[in-house]
Amino acid sequence: MELLGLILLGLAVGTLGTLLGVGGGFLMVPVLAAAYPGARVEQITGVSLVAIAANAASGAIASARAGRIDYRLSAALLAGALPGALAGAWLAARLDRPVFERVLGLVMVAGSVLLITVGSRQRLAARAAAASLDPPPNSVQRLVLVATLSIAIGTVATVAGIGGGIFHVPLLVFALAVPVQRATATSQFVLGVSAAAATAAH
């Protein structure tokens, strides 16, 4: 029964994670934490990151074939996400469960609010209308800003074991006015690389 439950969890994570471009760790970590109260923080986050890396890689392959990935933005995100992921893996191994669970709760609330915001058609329409007044989406200044924010995202998301997609997608949509479909594809590619790096660190 335990094996069947884990397979079903993986199926749900793979489906929703690919659909939203966020990896699925936001589903897997809370379930694993509840199901295995005696597990160490790095065990929970490490297992989740393995699943995220595999899920994001498979989704990124399909997105790459469809030509949806923005590789310039991916490079900017990875410039921050990779060192953040390594730092997050180091921190996760030094957290006790009560602190980890508080951090996870805060990250989940913040990520959920951002994803709901991304789903608001009115906000997307307003952002698209304002985009013409902003600097070009791929300007050097914006790419530097994205890389800087991605350090914090990579660190916090890896500590929580959720990968960071629930923050990267809103960042791409609202900070750079990237269409949602392209943002999710780019996020998947970044997640595949950064989660693999965090997994290796674990």
Side-chain angles (χ1 to χ4, degrees):
M1 286 300 294
E2 180 182 0
L3 179 59
L4 177 60
L6 290 173
I7 291 172
L8 292 175
L9 174 61
L11 179 61
V13 166
T15 302
L16 289 176
T18 302
L19 179 64
L20 299 175
V22 297
F26 70 99
L27 286 176
M28 180 167 284
V29 174
V31 173
L32 291 177
Y36 299 97
R40 298 193 307 274
V41 172
E42 66 269 26
Q43 290 176 316
I44 294 171
T45 57
V47 168
S48 175
L49 289 167
V50 169
I52 290 171
N55 177 36
S58 63
I61 291 171
S63 295
R65 289 173 178 168
R68 298 193 192 103
I69 298 173
D70 188 320
Y71 292 103
R72 190 178 184 196
L73 285 177
S74 296
L77 288 168
L78 284 170
L82 284 174
L86 296 176
W90 182 84
L91 286 170
R94 286 154 180 80
L95 288 181
D96 57 24
R97 280 293 293 263
V99 174
F100 165 72
E101 287 167 2
R102 291 186 182 94
V103 170
L104 176 62
L106 290 172
V107 171
M108 292 287 289
V109 170
S112 298
V113 170
L114 286 173
L115 283 179
I116 290 170
T117 303
V118 167
S120 169
R121 292 184 179 182
Q122 291 180 346
R123 290 292 299 276
L124 286 173
R127 190 68 188 86
S132 60
L133 304 176
D134 294 336
N138 284 353
S139 67
V140 173
Q141 294 89 342
R142 285 196 168 192
L143 292 174
V144 170
L145 173 63
V146 166
T148 302
L149 291 175
S150 195
I151 295 174
I153 292 172
T155 301
V156 173
T158 304
V159 167
I162 62 172
I166 59 175
F167 297 107
H168 280 142
V169 173
L171 174 65
L172 292 172
V173 171
F174 290 114
L176 300 178
V178 177
V180 174
Q181 192 176 42
R182 195 167 186 82
T184 57
T186 302
S187 173
Q188 281 180 333
F189 177 75
V190 172
L191 277 175
V193 178
S194 62
T199 299
H202 273 297

